[in-house]
Structure formats: C-alpha cells, structure tokens
Amino acid sequence: MLFKKIHVIKTSWRICIGEGANKIIPKFLEELGISSSLIVCGENTFRLAGRKVEKNLIKNGIEASFALVEKPDFENVKKVWKKAKIEKVQGLIGIGGGKNIDVAKTAAFKLKIPYLSVPTIPSHDGIASPCSSIFKEKKKLSLFLEPPAGIVVDMNYLSKAPLRFFSAGAGDVIAKYTAVTDWELAKEKKNEYYGEYAGKISSLAASIIIENSSRYKEDYKSAVRLLVEALISCGYAMSIAGSSRPCSGSEHLFAHAIDFLYPENQALHGEKVALGTLIMSYLQGKDYELIGKTIETLRLPRNYEEIQIPKEILVKALIKARKIRKRYTILDEVKIKEKSEAEKILKKVDII
C-alpha cells in the first residue's frame, strides 16, 4: 500500500523567528494578498500581544478586528467563523497557545481562508502542524486540516513564558519517542503506510530535547529557541506524512482518555502526553527510565499527585485509551482490560 494513497504535502509558506518578529505580520499578510484580518486570541493574550498586533496592522493599512476564545470547542469555532463571515475577512491570525491557534486553524479551514500562527508560549506542537484538537461535548476530536500559511515566533514573548509552558512543550516533543515506535508497529502488523523520513524528523526532535533537557537551567532563551525549532519540525513531519502519525501515538490516546474521563483536569496537554510517554515506553520495551529522568529534569509532573489527577482516573484512562480512536499502537498488542493490569503498570513506572 506504500504508494497507493496520494496526499499533497502542504507546508507553511513563511516562518519568522526572532525578537520583535510580530512586526513582520503586516508584511506577511500583504504578501499573501490579505487586506482584512480577524485576530483570534484569549483575553490575556489580547492584552499581552493582540492589541499591539491589531494597532500595527491598522497602521499598515490592514483592517483588523478580534474574536475572543474561551475554550477549544466547536462553539468557539462557530463564533469565530460567524464573525469572520459577517466581516468578510480574508485571513485569520491565531495568537497565543494551542487553544487559540487550534480554534483559528479550524475556523480558517471551514472558511477556506489562510491563517497565521503566532504563538506566545512554546507549549504545543500545534503551532506549526495541520492538526487541531477540538472538543465536541466531552470528546476531544483530532482533526487533520491545513498548516498555517505563515508562522511568526516573537521571542520577546516566548523567552519570557513561564517554565511550566516550556516544560509542557518539551513534553509534547518527547512524546515522539513512543509515537514513532507505534507507527512502525502499525506498519509491521497492519501494513500501514510508514514514512521513514517523517519518522526520522520526529525522532530527531525528541532526541534533541531529551539530550538537552537541562539546558533551560543555564540558558533559558537558547532552550526555548531549540524547543520552538523542534516543535516546528514536528509540524513539518506531520505535513510530510499526511497525518499526525509521526507525532501522536498511544501516549496521546492516554492523554485524550484522561480528558474524556476527567474533563475538569487542569493539566496541560504536554504534561499528560509526557506521562503517557513514560507508560508507553515501558510497554514498548524502550528506555522508560530515561523518559522518567527527562520528565524530572524538565520539572514535569511525574506521578498522580504532581499532575493532580486521581489514581482511579489514570487507571481507567489506561484501559480506555485503546478505544479513543482507531489507531493501531502498542495498546492493541497488550490489550489492557482489567483494573489490576493497569494498576500494575502504573505502579511499575511509579505513577501511582
């Protein structure tokens, strides 16, 4: 089946990284032929960066308004979509973290217009990927849409992001350690398409973050820059593969199961997938102790107490993860069905 499925590899047209990079946004929009835009962000992000972007756009002759996002769900996507339709904007600008960018990405796809990804925190590989995670009631849907037309990373904001967001972004990258192994397993067992090049890109990103997990202690700016490059590389890997396979495997299924069972949890996406990576690396027979040490070095939650999710939820999530979506992973090999099995695994990796 290697060459039977055809997909178009779409990647971002422009990427700008550096201090004061947000000043380049009007030029990006001009080059894209966009003269009217809608800024998609949260209240805090609008105060932090959105207002400045809006003023700069207007100063450069580009119409700009904004839509405030509360949650990454279809209600908020609909709100953005409606406002963009009424105002007849030609492009969206998602500013902030994964929530805002995913809503902008999904609304832009529905509107069939381009969007820019303008992260203010390095917490999520969605800043460069065609993938979006949107809630439909209790269930989080993983959508494969379009990559951003442009990515603007202003290091003035990201280098000042709290450590927790940096660590969560690193957690999302080290998840590729198990995601690629799951993808290889699906090729072996189900003859699923496996893109070696995309897999290598994701694996390299994970290796670099693992090897440099302590860099932030000595040079935070340099560590953030390295993380941003890894996150963007992961986005490209997904575009090349035509799916989220290089970056999302059993560890993400575990995180999504937590969200389904315990939607009120306050853990960041990268924190949950990092914990999932620890579990799945053990099940895959990989160096789970290395992952455990990396999690500790990055000051990510290492157990149920630190991540503030009840033991029983984590046990149920490990059982349910295999059924969250149709994606062959190590969980289809081990088939955890009993509470006692799940507890034994979680105890083995010192999560409970």
Side-chain angles (χ1 to χ4, degrees):
M1 81 173 261
L2 186 57
F3 299 109
K4 287 184 180 178
K5 184 181 176 183
I6 297 172
H7 70 266
V8 178
I9 297 175
K10 297 181 181 180
T11 57
S12 297
W13 166 78
R14 290 280 192 279
I15 299 174
C16 180
I17 306 177
E19 294 181 1
N22 280 3
K23 293 175 185 175
I24 207 82
I25 292 174
K27 185 181 178 184
F28 269 25
L29 294 183
E30 249 180 65
E31 291 176 349
L32 286 165
I34 293 170
S35 58
S36 60
S37 62
L38 180 64
I39 296 167
V40 181
C41 59
E43 283 186 24
N44 292 337
T45 314
F46 187 71
R47 285 193 295 270
L48 177 70
R51 177 67 76 185
K52 287 181 184 176
V53 171
E54 182 189 38
K55 285 181 179 178
N56 194 30
L57 289 171
I58 293 169
K59 181 182 172 183
N60 283 273
I62 296 171
E63 293 177 22
S65 59
F66 63 91
L68 295 180
V69 170
E70 295 169 9
K71 296 177 181 177
D73 61 16
F74 279 105
E75 284 303 309
N76 279 270
V77 170
K78 190 176 179 181
K79 180 171 75 173
V80 171
W81 177 80
K82 275 188 174 180
K83 184 161 187 175
K85 285 280 281 185
I86 291 167
E87 297 182 4
K88 297 180 180 178
V89 301
Q90 297 170 325
L92 302 184
I93 304 170
I95 302 179
K99 172 185 73 176
N100 304 337
I101 292 170
D102 278 359
V103 169
K105 187 182 300 184
T106 309
F109 183 80
K110 287 174 71 68
L111 291 159
K112 296 181 180 177
I113 59 174
Y115 71 98
L116 296 187
S117 171
V118 185
T120 55
I121 51 175
S123 63
H124 193 276
D125 67 11
I127 64 175
S129 83
C131 301
S132 174
S133 293
I134 299 291
F135 279 97
K136 186 176 183 181
E137 296 174 351
K138 278 180 70 178
K139 190 172 184 181
K140 183 181 274 189
L141 302 180
S142 297
L143 310 172
F144 193 85
L145 308 173
E146 299 278 346
I151 304 165
V152 181
V153 183
D154 193 327
M155 292 300 292
N156 284 335
Y157 297 104
L158 279 87
S159 62
K160 294 171 186 172
L163 179 62
R164 186 185 180 197
F165 294 112
F166 165 82
S167 298
D172 205 11
V173 175
I174 64 172
K176 302 1 170 186
Y177 182 77
T178 48
V180 174
T181 302
D182 280 328
W183 195 16
E184 290 171 329
L185 181 67
K187 176 196 175 186
E188 179 190 338
K189 299 288 184 174
K190 296 293 178 181
N191 198 30
E192 186 178 315
Y193 163 72
Y194 171 73
E196 188 174 358
Y197 189 77
K200 292 289 186 188
I201 292 173
S202 286
S203 294
L204 177 62
S207 295
I208 286 174
I209 296 304
I210 290 168
E211 288 167 14
N212 291 275
S213 58
S214 63
R215 184 188 286 199
Y216 73 91
K217 296 176 183 178
E218 299 168 2
D219 188 347
Y220 191 60
K221 278 189 179 181
S222 167
V224 171
R225 175 69 184 241
L226 183 67
L227 174 59
V228 168
E229 290 172 355
L231 291 167
I232 290 172
S233 296
C234 290
Y236 267 70
M238 288 185 263
S239 291
I240 291 167
S243 80
S244 62
R245 260 303 194 179
C247 298
S248 175
S250 50
E251 73 297 318
H252 273 70
L253 297 180
F254 175 72
H256 293 326
I258 291 172
D259 289 334
F260 180 82
L261 295 166
Y262 194 55
E264 62 268 35
N265 81 82
Q266 297 300 305
L268 297 175
H269 171 74
E271 293 172 338
K272 287 174 282 196
V273 297
L275 217 54
T277 304
L278 175 60
I279 299 164
M280 305 311 160
S281 58
Y282 166 69
L283 294 177
Q284 292 171 347
K286 300 187 77 174
D287 191 349
Y288 72 92
E289 291 181 347
L290 171 66
I291 299 301
K293 287 174 185 173
T294 303
I295 286 171
E296 289 169 7
T297 301
L298 289 165
R299 298 184 189 172
L300 284 160
R302 177 64 178 76
N303 54 49
Y304 80 97
E305 291 175 317
E306 291 177 2
I307 204 165
Q308 296 181 19
I309 296 173
K311 289 181 188 179
E312 58 270 21
I313 295 294
L314 296 178
V315 169
K316 287 178 182 177
L318 187 52
I319 295 168
K320 186 172 182 60
R322 181 168 62 93
K323 299 176 183 176
I324 284 290
R325 69 178 293 190
K326 193 177 179 182
R327 171 160 285 186
Y328 199 87
T329 71
I330 190 63
L331 293 170
D332 293 287
E333 292 285 302
V334 296
K335 290 186 171 67
I336 305 160
K337 296 177 182 177
E338 301 297 329
K339 180 182 173 184
S340 58
E341 294 175 84
E343 286 177 338
K344 185 178 179 182
I345 293 164
L346 294 176
K347 285 176 181 176
K348 175 66 180 177
V349 294
D350 295 323
I351 288 176
I352 64 171

